[in-house]
Every structure is written in C-alpha cells, then in structure tokens.
Amino acid sequence: MGQIAEIIKYEGDNSTFVWKHPCEDFNSLTQLIVHESQEAIFMMNGQALDLFGAGRYTLETQNIPKLGKILKRTTDGNTPFHCEVYFINKTVQMAIKWGTDSKIRFIEPSMGIPFEIGACGEMNLAVSNSRMLLLKLVGTMKGISWGDAGVGFTKSIQNSFRPLISNAVKTHLPSSIKEQNINILEIDENLEALSEVLRKNIISGFEEYGLTIPQFYITTVVLPENDPNLRRLRELQTISFQTKMIQAEALVKTAHAEAEADIITAERKAVLEKETTAIEIARREAERDIIHAQVEAQKTKMTGVAEAEVMAAKGYTQRDVLAADVQKAYAEGIGKMNISGGGGGVAGEMLGLGVGMAAVGVVAPQLGEMFKGINNTTVVENDVEKCSKCGAKLPKNAKFCLECGEKVLANEMIVCSQCGKTVVKGKFCPECGFKFVTVCPKCGADTKGGKYCLECGEKL
C-alpha cells in the first residue's frame, strides 16, 4: 500500500521540464493543484489517462473520464490500483547553451581557402506536447531537465539532443555560408540569418519528442587564429580593401573633375551666348542704320521729285529760280556799295561783288559778262548735259533733272564710312583716301561704300 496524500502539487525547480510527484497509490479524495505554467498527466497502471490544465481537482471518477468503471470507491477511501501524477513545466527555458563537439571543416567561398571553424550559442526551449514528451522521452524516470540538475534523473535533454544539434550545425552551417557567399571574416554580421537557417533544420528533431525551439542563436563562430590559411585570408582581405579604397578615391576625383568641367562648360556657354547676343545687337543696329539711311535717301529723292513737279506745274524751272536769286543778290550788292566814296570806290566794290558771286557759283552768265572788264576774270558758261528722259539741258554735276526730276546717274554720290563726307563714288575716297569695299565678299552685292552690306548685313 502506497503513501496516502491529501494534496498533490508541483515541488520541482524551474529548470525541470517533467517532474514526477513522489506520492503513488493515493486515495480518490486526493486534491490535485496545477499552476498556470504547468500541465499534469494522471497515470494508472502505466497508462496515461487524462491531462489536467491549471486549476484544483479532486481525483474522482467524474474528473477522470477515462478511468470509467475501473476505479471503484471503497468504504475506507483507498484504491487497489497503481496511480502516478507527472507535472510538465510549460514555461520557455531561456538561454540554454549549445556547442559543437569538434571542428567544422569547410572551404571559404570567397577566396577558396580551406580551414576549420567551431560554433556555439544559445537557444530557448519549451514543451509543445506534454503527452508525447512523457511517453517518448521520460518513460518511467522521475523526471527530466536540460542538464543533470534534477535529483535522481537518469538522463538530460542536453545529453539526449547533443548529437542532433552538433550534426545539424556541422551540416548546415558551412552550406549556408557557401550559398550566401559569406566571407568568413565578415560572418558576425550574418549570424542572425545563419541562426534562423539552423533553427529550421533542428526544430523538426525536437518536435518529434514534444519539444519546440522558439529561438535559436549562433553567438560565436570560432576561427583558427593560428592557422596560416586564415592569416593569408586576412592579408588578401586587406589588399582587397585597399584596392577598393583606391578605386573609390579615383571615382571621387573623376566626379569632381566632371563637376568642374560642367561648371566651365556652363560658364563658356554663358560667355558665348553673351557675345552672340552682342554681335546680334550690333548687326541689328547696323541694319537699322542702313534702313534709316535708305529711308532718308528715298525721302530726299521724293522731295526733289515733288519740288520739280510743283515748279513744272507753276510754269517755271530751276533756271528761273537761279536768275531770281542772282538779281536779288545783285540788288543787295549795289545797295551796299559806297557811292559817296573816292573815284575807285564804286568800281572796287562792284569788283568785289562780282568776284564773290562768281566764287560761290551764283552769278548768272550775263552777270559774268558785266564784270569781264572790271576784274579781268573770264567767266566761262557751265558745261551742260541733256536729261536722258525729257532731253532738257542739265548743269554740270547736277543730281536731278530740273524739268522732270529724273535722277542723273552720271556721277553717283556715296557717303564715306571713314570720314563721313559725301563724295563721288569710286575706288577711293577723294577726301581721306579710304579704299571703298564696293562688293560684299559674302553675297556679292553692291555695298555703296558702307560699313555693312545692304543685302545680308555682313560687316565689311
């Protein structure tokens, strides 16, 4: 007959996964207390009957459905059957350490250098299926924990799963490093990804026994610091880093040079645009000057034609106007003579008047005849030409016909671009000797002796 207990509750430590209560063959009125972080399995005659969650239970038939009619109450409250209760700790066991039992041989993928490494870390472990853990791993033992801390435990989860963890790490850690092409000298920055790969490959082995791994961590990858291959790898890494730095500096210098070139190009473009604008403005001003000169010339021509037509309409010509001017000048000259003076006064003043009028070309031919004997100067009548349109006689060097206003083309006049005087068109200016450019070198048009071509605006 076993010990009779009134209350059954968990009395193990928190590092224990499964703990068997020492009391067995208790009576049916015994109280079972299960905490929030626990589950309890009732076993009778070696068979796991029911699973109890958090709460307080009286071990009676109605609370143990699978017991059924097997359990019969006796008048003294005792039962002839063998009963046991196992408590399962459902809390997550944190920071459980693990490590490989030997070195891992592999070839470093970035440089192809072979050497050996080790790995260790921690993991979090929890019970996912209490019945499976009890039946497949604990059996008839008094309990099980991660290490050997449990009193009277014959095995630990650590010892049970060490081969599984070591084999998974040796198999999947090198392959993951190769697949992700990780430089072993930079492995620390990839530990999180490698840890998740190992967790996925290890967890299935634990779940088969009712355990789960919420987190799995690789905390350290041990490198063989005394291995010459590792030293050679570090040297190659240094050379590679220096090469990249030189290339980066070259790129920076190139970028600066390109930026400076862009600035210079922009500045030159601005200067060219400014110069082009100035040239364009000068060309347009020259065109305006030429157009203005052409307009003024046309106005002068039209004024002369209009005056000639008016005079023709009134019945007199420019010759009549000239005769009237001569008579007026003669009368003014006579009025100014000093008649009351000495004997030679009148003759002297008349002589002066005749010479002055002959010099300015105002005196008519008949007045010249009057003064032939006084000043001993012969006044020759101007050579005359005929108008090509109406046949009228023209004075020498006349620009327009006095009868019809037709332009006389015999002696074409132009404005010298050097001295600004109006002269007879020729190869050189008769005033300053400037050589005229009479033909535009660009379009071949007549330049009229100006600074710009009247047809295309080319500067001469």
Side-chain angles (χ1 to χ4, degrees):
M1 183 69 62
Q3 182 181 1
I4 298 175
E6 295 181 354
I7 296 177
I8 296 177
K9 63 180 180 179
Y10 181 75
E11 297 176 358
D13 57 30
N14 196 46
S15 64
T16 300
F17 282 86
V18 179
W19 181 77
K20 178 184 177 183
H21 198 279
C23 294
E24 299 177 358
D25 300 335
F26 40 82
N27 59 53
S28 58
L29 298 179
T30 301
Q31 299 290 308
L32 174 64
I33 299 176
V34 182
H35 295 101
E36 286 284 350
S37 60
Q38 301 167 352
E39 287 181 342
I41 296 179
F42 179 81
M43 298 189 69
M44 189 177 69
N45 296 334
Q47 183 180 3
L49 295 183
D50 285 285
L51 181 67
F52 294 89
R56 185 185 184 99
Y57 305 91
T58 299
L59 297 180
E60 296 178 318
T61 303
Q62 60 269 27
N63 292 330
I64 311 175
K66 291 184 179 181
L67 184 60
K69 297 180 180 180
I70 299 177
L71 185 60
K72 296 181 179 179
R73 294 184 180 183
T74 60
T75 56
D76 57 1
N78 294 327
T79 175
F81 301 101
H82 179 67
C83 301
E84 299 170 311
V85 174
Y86 284 87
F87 288 89
I88 292 87
N89 186 2
K90 299 286 288 185
T91 60
V92 177
Q93 303 297 305
M94 307 289 289
I96 296 176
K97 298 185 181 298
W98 63 268
T100 55
D101 56 358
S102 61
K103 297 294 183 180
I104 304 172
R105 299 180 180 88
F106 87 112
I107 297 176
E108 200 278 330
S110 62
M111 297 295 180
I113 299 176
F115 51 86
E116 299 178 342
I117 62 174
C120 61
E122 297 177 353
M123 66 178 181
N124 298 335
L125 190 64
V127 178
S128 59
N129 191 317
S130 300
R131 186 184 297 272
M132 185 181 296
L133 176 62
L134 180 63
L135 298 179
K136 298 191 69 172
L137 192 61
V138 179
T140 60
M141 295 184 301
K142 294 181 180 180
I144 190 170
S145 64
W146 174 253
D148 299 325
V151 179
F153 295 172
T154 56
K155 70 166 67 173
S156 68
I157 295 178
Q158 183 182 36
N159 294 334
S160 300
F161 288 95
R162 180 180 288 115
L164 185 151
I165 296 174
S166 180
N167 186 62
V169 172
K170 290 180 179 179
T171 301
H172 297 286
L173 181 59
S175 61
S176 298
I177 294 174
K178 291 180 181 179
E179 289 174 1
Q180 300 181 37
N181 195 29
I182 299 173
N183 188 322
I184 196 65
L185 299 178
E186 301 173 352
I187 197 169
D188 287 346
E189 61 190 60
N190 297 277
L191 291 181
E192 183 176 355
L194 293 174
S195 297
E196 182 61 20
V197 171
L198 292 182
R199 189 190 75 85
K200 291 179 179 179
N201 286 278
I202 292 174
I203 191 172
S204 59
F206 281 83
E207 288 178 343
E208 185 179 348
Y209 294 90
L211 296 169
T212 187
I213 305 175
Q215 291 86 27
F216 187 90
Y217 305 103
I218 302 174
T219 57
T220 304
V221 174
V222 182
L223 301 179
E225 297 297 337
N226 296 326
D227 191 337
N229 288 334
L230 183 62
R231 289 196 295 268
R232 178 58 178 164
L233 181 62
R234 292 187 187 278
E235 293 174 358
L236 294 175
Q237 185 78 1
T238 301
I239 294 173
S240 177
F241 172 75
Q242 293 174 347
T243 302
K244 291 179 180 179
M245 287 297 296
I246 293 173
Q247 293 174 347
E249 292 175 356
L251 290 175
V252 171
K253 291 180 180 179
T254 302
H256 287 168
E258 291 177 352
E260 292 178 357
D262 292 340
I263 294 173
I264 294 174
T265 301
E267 292 176 349
R268 290 180 178 176
K269 183 177 179 181
V271 172
L272 289 175
E273 289 178 352
K274 185 177 181 180
E275 292 179 351
T276 301
T277 303
I279 293 174
E280 183 67 18
I281 292 173
R283 186 181 68 82
R284 291 179 182 178
E285 290 178 350
E287 290 177 351
R288 284 196 296 268
D289 293 342
I290 293 171
I291 293 172
H292 179 72
Q294 291 176 341
V295 170
E296 292 297 325
Q298 186 68 19
K299 286 170 61 178
T300 302
K301 175 180 178 182
M302 296 303 296
T303 301
V305 172
E307 290 178 352
E309 291 178 351
V310 170
M311 287 188 294
K314 291 182 177 181
Y316 64 89
T317 64
Q318 187 67 28
R319 185 185 302 273
D320 298 326
V321 174
L322 179 60
D325 290 340
V326 169
Q327 293 175 3
K328 181 179 179 181
Y330 175 75
E332 291 177 352
I334 293 298
K336 293 178 180 179
M337 290 182 180
N338 186 8
I339 301 177
S340 61
V346 175
E349 290 190 14
M350 291 184 66
L351 176 61
L353 176 63
V355 173
M357 297 182 68
V360 297
V362 178
V363 181
Q366 60 270 28
L367 184 60
E369 290 292 337
M370 292 172 57
F371 292 95
K372 283 182 180 179
I374 300 175
N375 56 12
N376 295 323
T377 301
T378 301
V379 179
V380 181
E381 184 179 1
N382 292 335
D383 295 335
V384 294
E385 298 177 355
K386 291 184 178 181
C387 174
S388 59
K389 182 177 181 180
C390 64
K393 292 183 179 181
L394 302 175
K396 188 176 181 180
N397 297 330
K399 296 181 179 180
F400 297 92
C401 176
L402 300 178
E403 297 295 334
C404 64
E406 180 71 12
K407 184 177 180 181
V408 179
L409 301 178
N411 295 318
E412 185 176 356
M413 308 300 288
I414 62 175
V415 178
C416 177
S417 59
Q418 186 69 17
C419 63
K421 294 184 178 181
T422 302
V423 297
V424 178
K425 180 180 179 181
K427 292 184 178 182
F428 296 89
C429 175
E431 296 291 336
C432 64
F434 177 73
K435 183 178 181 180
F436 295 136
V437 179
T438 58
V439 179
C440 175
K442 183 175 181 181
C443 65
D446 188 353
T447 64
K448 304 297 183 180
K451 294 182 180 180
Y452 294 88
C453 177
L454 300 178
E455 296 294 332
C456 65
E458 178 74 10
K459 185 174 181 181
L460 305 175

